[in-house]
Amino acid sequence: MSKNDLNEESGFFDGFTIHDCVILSKGYYGVSAEEILPEEEFDYYESRGKSQVGSYSDDRQEKGKSPVWGGIVWPRHSFFNTRLVNTELKECLMMDDAGQGYYLGLGDNKFAEKQPSPKTRFHQLAKVDDQVYGVGRGRKIFKRMGPENWECISESIRCPSDGDIGFKDMNGFAENDLYAAGGHNDV
């Protein structure tokens, strides 16, 4: 896929800016985007734009034709600042700043997950081996045990206040070899 596949011909991302992306399988991609609002209209807490997630499959693309995108558009204040992570072949999990989750893909598993408690909010999602993790404030790292089921695995490194201290991203090689970073140079 090239940047021309996102051009005006398809119209799918007109008026939106891309926030995150994920490779779901060879030739199948997912992209989250937010509506571009004029500065005088945008307010992070009061007036955010629409959000959308789009999917693109090389298999559905005809040579020489405009890109074919499928997707979902949510109204204002829904799924803003979304993060995407591949969960299994051709499926992914999408979460936003408020902890709303949506599971989607080519299978039958398309549903909105129950929102976790405010203490289980993630700055980023990551997949290590076949396991999905979420990282957030207070040096919290959560392991996804299944749909709507997250377990905190960072009790021994948590800090007393949530503040700015915490993790913004993570990656690793295996469950016992994870690396998280962010906040005030926390690693």
Side-chain angles (χ1 to χ4, degrees):
M1 180 188 311
S2 73
K3 71 177 188 170
N4 294 331
D5 293 327
L6 298 173
N7 69 10
E8 297 81 33
E9 271 184 58
S10 75
F12 190 78
F13 291 105
D14 287 351
F16 286 78
T17 185
I18 293 174
H19 186 265
D20 201 5
C21 64
V22 65
I23 297 172
L24 298 163
S25 67
K26 185 177 179 180
Y28 183 49
Y29 317 98
V31 175
S32 68
E34 272 102 41
E35 182 180 23
I36 301 168
L37 291 179
E39 190 175 318
E40 60 275 5
E41 285 183 40
F42 180 84
D43 180 284
Y44 186 84
Y45 297 101
E46 299 294 325
S47 178
R48 299 186 296 197
K50 297 175 188 171
S51 299
Q52 70 178 3
V53 64
S55 61
Y56 176 93
S57 174
D58 288 343
D59 294 342
R60 294 177 48 202
Q61 203 53 53
E62 291 183 46
K63 281 196 182 262
K65 300 278 184 171
S66 295
V68 176
W69 282 88
I72 302 167
V73 178
W74 284 277
R76 291 182 173 197
H77 294 299
S78 292
F79 289 103
F80 191 76
N81 281 340
T82 52
R83 291 106 171 120
L84 300 170
V85 65
N86 175 250
T87 52
E88 55 188 80
L89 186 65
K90 299 185 178 183
E91 296 194 5
C92 72
L93 176 67
M94 177 176 84
M95 291 200 92
D96 73 356
D97 283 349
Q100 296 181 103
Y102 190 79
Y103 196 80
L104 68 153
L106 292 182
D108 294 329
N109 297 326
K110 296 176 190 74
F111 63 92
E113 294 198 356
K114 191 172 90 180
Q115 191 169 343
S117 80
K119 295 178 180 179
T120 315
R121 300 244 172 108
F122 308 121
H123 288 298
Q124 191 55 273
L125 298 172
K127 184 176 181 184
V128 178
D129 284 336
D130 287 330
Q131 186 62 55
V132 174
Y133 297 90
V135 295
R137 291 155 90 174
R139 295 189 186 132
K140 293 177 189 162
I141 301 172
F142 289 87
K143 179 178 177 180
R144 187 170 193 261
M145 307 306 287
E148 302 175 343
N149 186 2
W150 295 86
E151 178 182 301
C152 184
I153 61 168
S154 58
E155 290 298 329
S156 63
I157 60 170
R158 293 209 19 222
C159 59
S161 75
D162 283 348
D164 272 349
I165 298 170
F167 299 132
K168 301 283 186 189
D169 206 354
M170 74 170 291
N171 213 322
F173 299 98
E175 185 171 357
N176 63 352
D177 195 7
L178 300 172
Y179 299 85
H184 294 290
N185 300 320
D186 290 352
V187 179

